[in-house]
Amino acid sequence: MNSKILLAAFAALIAGVAGAQTDYEGGPRALYRALAEQPHETLKMGGGEIDVVFADGAPGLDRKAVLDWVRMSAEAAIAYFGRFPVEKVGLLIIAGDGDRINGGTTFGFAGSAIRIKVGRAAGAAAFGSDWRLVHEMVHLALPRVVPQENALWMMEGSAVYVEPIARVMAGHLSEEAVWSDSLDGMPKGQPGPNDGGLDDHPGWGRSYWGGAIFWLMADIGIREQTHNRLSLMDALRAINRESGGNGVEWSERQVVEAGDKATGTHVLADLYAKMKDQPVTVDLDGLFARLGVARKDGQVVFDENAPQAKLRRAIVGKS
Ligand SMILES: [Zn+2]
């Protein structure tokens, strides 16, 4: 081997090593390659398989703690959807600095895949209170709604709305925490003076929390019309079963129609027609008052005599 080839080989080796961790956070090519080529550990839960890959071995991570957290997150998704939302997902765990879990992203076009970063110093508190992996698993359950520039609110709103409910149903979160998030977050989803409908997606608040308002209204509407016999959960489970999850692309209208078919109502279609291209300010104060939820001295308090207190409990799976 002459020195030129040796030098080229050495440069390639350095580039490979130096790029190893950061590469995964760009486009999904490196993610899919890692899932295909690196060793994995398979968790079988709720009829699905989760292939966990520790990116480049993810040195410094407590593997048992990570796998327990993956199981716990899957339990929440299974509680809500009645099964693990896809037959198979590749989950790439990237080791990072600090004690937090962040940067979750879900992909579907080349097989269901999630990438998430776990801080090497993450302990029981970070794993126990994490919502990000459940959020990503909710994305697995629903088709990728296109065109994405319009439908971001539909996907993000559903994940924001379902994630805490799923965690309560699995016994991992308190009922108060769900409503604490809604009381604080949903006002950020109201349209501003220059905003259009949800399909115009003017920013983060409208997409994430405006979308969450849509799904809360849908849940309440379906429960009202079916005397609490059916709910958004039935609609979303049907969408999950019919699509098979995030491996396929659907239009917003397909999502709405499949959901309504499952509940025998027009709740989703009516809400969608109202909110997709018009700025709709929802009377959140009135809505929370009817559900019997408020914040007093920083704490979430429930009024069990409120007209829809029973419906509020049913939303998180309590009778
Ligand atoms: Zn999301």
Side-chain angles (χ1 to χ4, degrees):
M1 196 185 278
N2 68 35
S3 63
K4 217 168 161 184
I5 293 173
L6 199 67
L7 201 65
F10 185 65
L13 185 73
I14 293 292
V17 170
Q21 287 293 315
T22 48
D23 268 352
Y24 297 116
E25 295 176 57
R29 252 179 53 185
L31 157 88
Y32 280 115
R33 198 182 324 123
L35 292 177
E37 293 173 0
Q38 297 189 23
H40 63 261
E41 189 154 337
T42 302
L43 306 178
K44 293 187 180 185
M45 294 184 68
E49 290 187 2
I50 308 168
D51 284 345
V52 183
V53 172
F54 289 88
D56 304 322
L61 285 190
D62 175 349
R63 289 195 176 206
K64 188 189 170 299
V66 170
L67 292 173
D68 286 347
W69 159 68
V70 173
R71 277 190 207 94
M72 193 172 106
S73 305
E75 278 169 19
I78 292 165
Y80 193 85
F81 287 99
R83 71 171 193 192
F84 192 73
V86 289
E87 281 176 23
K88 198 177 182 63
V89 61
L91 172 57
L92 188 73
I93 305 287
I94 305 168
D97 295 332
D99 60 359
R100 299 179 59 181
I101 293 161
N102 54 40
T105 311
T106 298
F107 299 92
F109 61 90
S112 294
I114 295 174
R115 159 182 92 189
I116 197 158
K117 198 164 161 185
V118 179
R120 291 179 199 86
F127 289 118
S129 65
D130 174 65
W131 55 269
R132 290 170 191 274
L133 189 51
V134 181
H135 175 106
E136 299 307 327
M137 286 179 176
V138 176
H139 282 317
L140 291 179
L142 305 179
R144 304 200 306 288
V145 191
V146 290
Q148 208 200 322
E149 59 268 29
N150 300 125
L152 192 67
W153 67 269
M154 194 174 255
M155 292 188 286
E156 293 306 338
S158 60
V160 169
Y161 180 67
V162 169
E163 163 263 311
I165 294 173
R167 288 167 66 209
V168 174
M169 289 174 70
H172 300 158
L173 189 72
S174 74
E175 225 174 314
E176 285 81 359
V178 174
W179 297 108
S180 177
D181 285 357
S182 300
L183 286 167
D184 294 345
M186 284 185 181
K188 297 174 197 154
Q190 299 276 34
N194 300 316
D195 287 347
L198 289 171
D199 272 2
D200 297 330
H201 92 100
W204 174 86
R206 286 286 278 155
S207 299
Y208 282 70
W209 285 108
I213 293 173
F214 172 91
W215 293 108
L216 170 63
M217 305 255 293
D219 207 353
I220 293 172
I222 296 167
R223 289 174 188 277
E224 283 172 348
Q225 290 197 19
T226 63
H227 305 286
N228 224 351
R229 194 173 52 83
L230 297 173
S231 70
L232 180 66
M233 190 175 75
D234 298 285
L236 293 180
R237 284 183 179 192
I239 293 164
N240 172 249
R241 302 305 190 267
E242 207 172 312
S243 65
N246 79 326
V248 299
E249 289 185 344
W250 278 17
S251 66
E252 291 181 338
R253 189 151 303 279
Q254 273 176 290
V255 171
V256 161
E257 283 173 5
D260 276 346
K261 196 173 82 187
T263 62
T265 70
H266 299 286
V267 170
L268 290 173
D270 291 348
L271 268 179
Y272 175 64
K274 228 187 282 175
M275 296 176 82
K276 73 179 160 74
D277 48 20
Q278 297 296 321
V280 176
T281 300
V282 174
D283 174 16
L284 288 174
D285 290 343
L287 184 152
F288 288 130
R290 282 194 302 283
L291 293 172
V293 54
R295 188 183 291 287
K296 282 214 173 77
D297 305 324
Q299 301 293 312
V300 171
V301 289
F302 295 136
D303 172 7
E304 299 305 343
N305 297 315
Q308 293 190 313
K310 193 170 165 239
L311 192 151
R312 184 199 72 235
R313 286 195 301 276
I315 283 177
V316 294
K318 312 259 183 208
S319 54

